[in-house]
């Protein structure tokens, strides 16, 4: 097992993986970091937890469209996938906004 230090949105994380998976883990962390930074820099989503959810939805949509030929997004164009993700953002924003008042 190997300890891997990564940074996601400036936050350090120490992770453990198999020796032969270190490169893939570093690439995954870098990919997630870039997705989260893009969402944050877009300025429409505030709060790291919300940014993480939006990034997770985007990554999951990408994964499903590539991983499963008959998946829920397999028949859609890239534009249609982006539109679905935007719709998910709107739904999540409306669901999470009232919770911001709790803190």
């Amino acid at each position: 097992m190997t300890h891997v230090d990564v940074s996601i949105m400036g936050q350090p994380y120490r992770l453990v993986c198999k020796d032969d998976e270190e490169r893939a883990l570093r690439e995954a962390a870098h990919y997630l970091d870039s997705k989260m930074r893009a969402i944050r820099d877009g300025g429409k989503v505030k709060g790291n937890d919300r940014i993480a959810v939006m990034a997770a939805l985007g990554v999951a949509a990408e994964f499903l469209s590539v991983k499963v030929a008959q998946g829920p997004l397999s028949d859609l164009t890239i534009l249609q996938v982006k539109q679905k993700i935007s719709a998910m953002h709107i739904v999540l924003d409306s669901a999470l906004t009232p919770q911001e008042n709790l803190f």
Side-chain angles (χ1 to χ4, degrees), residues 2-78:
T2 299
H3 290 276
V4 179
D5 293 316
V6 299
S7 177
I8 299 173
M9 292 223 347
Q11 181 70 35
Y13 294 92
R14 175 164 266 208
L15 308 170
V16 178
C17 66
K18 294 179 184 175
D19 293 337
D20 61 340
E21 296 176 351
E22 180 178 351
R23 180 177 177 198
L25 180 58
R26 286 187 186 280
E27 288 176 3
H30 176 73
Y31 185 72
L32 178 60
D33 181 56
S34 68
K35 290 289 187 182
M36 289 180 68
R37 286 177 185 273
I39 292 168
R40 180 200 62 199
D41 295 346
K44 293 184 179 180
V45 180
K46 302 215 185 292
N48 287 347
D49 56 337
R50 295 177 76 171
I51 291 170
V53 169
M54 295 300 157
L57 280 171
V59 171
E62 291 171 11
F63 174 78
L64 290 173
S65 68
V66 173
K67 176 78 174 163
V68 182
Q70 298 302 319
L73 303 175
S74 61
D75 293 334
L76 302 178
T77 66
I78 297 294

